Every structure is written in structure tokens, then in C-alpha cells.
Amino acid sequence: MLRKFVLLVTVLCSFYAKAQDPIFTQFYLIPETLNPAFTGISNTWSAGLVHRRQWPNGNTKIDTQFAYANNLVSDEIGLGITVLNHNEVFTNYNYFKFNGTFSYIVELDYEWRLRLGLEAGFGRKDFNFNNLLLEDQINTNTGAISPGSIDPGVIDYSNKINFFDTSAGFVFDREDAWIGVAVRHLNRPDISFRENGNVPLNLFLTVHGGYYFEFLNSPTSLIPEGSNFLLTANYMRQSQYNRLDIGGILETEVYGIGILLATNPEGRSSESHLLTSINPVMSVKFGEFTFGYSHDFNTSKFRRNQGTHELTLIWQSGRQCSRCNNYKVKFRRGASGYQRTWG
């Protein structure tokens, strides 16, 4: 029985290590989680942090953090950094990645822009196989536990792997719309914990977009004039796993509130669910800071897990250039909601 439990834990670790990248519900607030082409989209200093706690019930919880900082260094070039940390409590598996990001802007006709993005950096996956308690370590007569195992299936594993990773993407955007595509793990890094193993990391594809509908005449006093309704979607696919988030968010200069639906459009079995979670989202702006929160209510058969909580904090600096006749401050709708830009 103990060996079966150990095998189950190892299989779960292998599933998360090889199969799926961490994902975030509030991709529309922090699009840097999806695509390096969004680097510098705010036209000023921008930094953000997102903390995601999945299945917080007891030892099943999974914590994921993502942070970024970026800016335009010229009219065409944006530079930034991103940091990702992912930890699974029930397996003690940890995934950490640090990347540099680059974007290049090409002005097109009809107020459209093309943003090209590259991302590269180093990743590390940790799992302490020495902490596994195997059957041959237990003396059934005395109950004593040996400090080590002779099981070759464990001896052959490394507790830590390091790898170099690259990603690329592009975005077409204007003031009221955007659509982008990005692919992660272009170099297919080897993430096998075995010394002589070869497990290429699966490509991660994401296709995302959004369109803003402006309320010129407010339908109610609760919605200020000049508010917008964002219709957005994000399709993700990695190996046989896929997910489509789609929904809408009402955005004003002070707050945002809406709902996203997480779906499984390519059901692989009769047990697959089309709708996997319902995710209310909200945000509040205080000066240069934006606070966001979302909660994923699971609708599949995997119940009693308390869903997923996600907190975001975004800082976007303001700047003024009173001596520049060709610069003016205005609010611009973009992938991160209302942003101050200069143009």
C-alpha cells in the first residue's frame, strides 16, 4: 500500500512537471503572463505581481507567483524581466524561471501596430526524491526506518534540473482592440529528472485577444460616461491539454468588474466537461496602482477543493513633459485596461 502511495505521488509530480505550464485567470490585467510582445505596452515604467492559490484545502494547495517589470527604452524597443515561481505542497515540487523580455514595435496603417516579442532565460525544477519513504527502508519487525533506499528507480533520479528556455510572440493592437499569438519552449528543453533521460518540454501555444465597446451614453448612473466593456478571450494548448477562457469586463477609470468562463473545447473523453469553472473578476485603481482579485468556482466533478484564488497588484508610473509640445496626457485603452500614455 505504501509503495502504491509513493508511486501515485511520483506520477502526480511527473504529470505537472511534464504536462502543463502554470496559467492565470487575470491574463487581461497582466498580459505579460502570456506574450513577451506586451513588453513596454504601457509606454512608461510598469511592474506587477500576481499570486495564485489553487485548491487551498489542506495539503492539495498549489501556489504560483509571477512578477514583471518593463518599459520602452526607445520609440520602438521595449525591455523587461519576468519571474515565475510555482510550488506544489503535496509533492514539494517547485518550478522557478527567470527571463529577459524584448519587444519591437512596427507602426502600421489605420492606427494599428505590430509588436514582436522574444523571451529567454533559465528555469529550474526541484523535487527531493531523497524524502520519499520506500518499502525497503522499513524494518517490518522493529519498525525502524533506514535513511536510504536501494531502489534503482530512485537512485537514478536527480533532485534538481536546470534548463535554458526561449519563447516568442506577436501582437496586433490599436486603442480599442488587440489580438496576439505566442509559443513557449521553442527550444524544447530537456526536463527529465533522470541523468540520462530525455523529456522535451512540450510547446505551449496561446492565442488571445480583446475588443473594447465604449459607452458614449451611459445606460445607468452606476456606469460613468466614457466607460468601456471589454470582450476578451484566451485559448491555450499544451500537448493534449487545452483551455479557452472567454468573458467580459466592465471597466471605468476607477473599477472593473466582470466574469470569465473557463472551458475545455476539445474534450478528450466522455468524462470531459465543456465548462470547467466560472471566474468572477474585479479590480480597483488607486492612483498609480491597480488591485485585482478573481475566484475560480469549479464546475467539474472535482468538487470540495475551495476553487482558486488569484490576487494581482500592478504599478504604472506617471510622467509629464510640459516642455514637449507634441506630448499630451490621455487615457488609452489597452491590454492592461486604462493606461496613461503619451503621444
Side-chain angles (χ1 to χ4, degrees), residues 14 17-18 161 188-194 197-202:
S14 176
K18 296 192 295 184
I161 55 174
R188 302 296 306 279
D190 178 16
I191 57 168
S192 174
F193 282 100
R194 287 184 178 272
N198 183 19
V199 181
L201 185 55
N202 290 321

Side-chain angles (χ1 to χ4, degrees), residues 22 63-66 83-87 94-97 124:
D63 288 336
T64 309
Q65 299 87 29
F66 176 88
V83 180
L84 174 71
N85 187 69
H86 176 80
N87 181 260
N94 193 81
Y95 173 33
F96 177 85
K97 191 163 69 168
R124 184 185 69 228

Side-chain angles (χ1 to χ4, degrees), residues 73-116:
V73 297
S74 71
D75 290 340
E76 296 85 17
I77 297 176
L79 295 177
I81 58 172
T82 65
V83 180
L84 174 71
N85 187 69
H86 176 80
N87 181 260
E88 299 172 3
V89 172
F90 56 96
T91 62
N92 200 29
Y93 163 73
N94 193 81
Y95 173 33
F96 177 85
K97 191 163 69 168
F98 179 87
N99 286 335
T101 60
F102 167 87
S103 68
Y104 185 81
I105 304 171
V106 180
E107 295 290 340
L108 305 176
D109 293 335
Y110 307 105
E111 299 182 350
W112 284 93
R113 288 170 293 272
L114 169 62
R115 302 175 186 268
L116 305 173

Side-chain angles (χ1 to χ4, degrees), residues 250-263:
L250 173 66
E251 294 189 347
T252 72
E253 294 182 11
V254 178
Y255 68 87
I257 186 169
I259 191 167
L260 295 172
L261 304 178
T263 67

Side-chain angles (χ1 to χ4, degrees), residues 211-230 249-257 331 333 338:
Y211 185 81
Y212 283 90
F213 299 89
E214 185 175 1
F215 291 109
L216 297 178
N217 297 314
S218 176
T220 173
S221 59
L222 297 177
I223 303 177
E225 290 187 7
S227 300
N228 298 272
F229 182 79
L230 169 63
I249 300 95
L250 173 66
E251 294 189 347
T252 72
E253 294 182 11
V254 178
Y255 68 87
I257 186 169
F331 279 102
R333 300 182 297 274
Y338 269 98

Side-chain angles (χ1 to χ4, degrees), residues 17-271:
K18 296 192 295 184
Q20 294 177 282
D21 282 19
I23 59 176
F24 298 94
T25 299
Q26 299 177 66
F27 63 89
Y28 67 97
L29 272 180
I30 305 186
E32 287 86 353
T33 61
L34 298 177
N35 194 332
F38 285 109
T39 300
I41 195 172
S42 298
N43 287 2
T44 184
W45 275 107
S46 180
L49 173 68
V50 53
H51 173 76
R52 179 180 178 89
R53 171 157 289 184
Q54 184 174 349
W55 310 334
N57 187 11
N59 291 329
T60 61
K61 67 182 178 181
I62 300 174
D63 288 336
T64 309
Q65 299 87 29
F66 176 88
Y68 79 92
N70 60 51
N71 195 5
L72 286 181
V73 297
S74 71
D75 290 340
E76 296 85 17
I77 297 176
L79 295 177
I81 58 172
T82 65
V83 180
L84 174 71
N85 187 69
H86 176 80
N87 181 260
E88 299 172 3
V89 172
F90 56 96
T91 62
N92 200 29
Y93 163 73
N94 193 81
Y95 173 33
F96 177 85
K97 191 163 69 168
F98 179 87
N99 286 335
T101 60
F102 167 87
S103 68
Y104 185 81
I105 304 171
V106 180
E107 295 290 340
L108 305 176
D109 293 335
Y110 307 105
E111 299 182 350
W112 284 93
R113 288 170 293 272
L114 169 62
R115 302 175 186 268
L116 305 173
L118 293 174
E119 185 173 22
F122 290 91
R124 184 185 69 228
K125 291 176 180 281
D126 295 300
F127 184 81
N128 192 353
F129 290 93
N130 293 331
N131 283 344
L132 291 178
L133 181 60
L134 301 183
E135 187 177 15
D136 68 324
Q137 295 177 249
I138 303 175
N139 188 321
T140 56
N141 295 323
T142 64
I145 297 176
S146 172
S149 171
I150 61 174
D151 192 323
V154 174
I155 296 175
D156 192 34
Y157 277 88
S158 171
N159 291 326
K160 181 185 300 183
I161 55 174
N162 298 289
F163 57 92
F164 177 74
D165 195 18
T166 60
S167 305
F170 65 86
V171 173
F172 290 99
D173 76 294
R174 65 182 189 185
E175 289 196 358
D176 61 353
W178 84 92
I179 182 169
V181 176
V183 180
R184 300 178 191 164
H185 320 310
L186 290 173
N187 58 320
R188 302 296 306 279
D190 178 16
I191 57 168
S192 174
F193 282 100
R194 287 184 178 272
E195 183 177 352
N196 297 318
N198 183 19
V199 181
L201 185 55
N202 290 321
L203 294 175
F204 183 101
L205 169 70
T206 170
V207 182
H208 36 272
Y211 185 81
Y212 283 90
F213 299 89
E214 185 175 1
F215 291 109
L216 297 178
N217 297 314
S218 176
T220 173
S221 59
L222 297 177
I223 303 177
E225 290 187 7
S227 300
N228 298 272
F229 182 79
L230 169 63
L231 181 63
T232 187
N234 176 31
Y235 172 78
M236 296 164 285
R237 183 181 180 86
Q238 188 171 24
S239 186
Q240 71 267 37
Y241 306 101
N242 67 96
R243 171 170 164 166
L244 172 65
D245 289 4
I246 185 169
I249 300 95
L250 173 66
E251 294 189 347
T252 72
E253 294 182 11
V254 178
Y255 68 87
I257 186 169
I259 191 167
L260 295 172
L261 304 178
T263 67
N264 176 30
E266 303 175 39
R268 295 291 178 176
S269 71
S270 59
E271 299 296 324

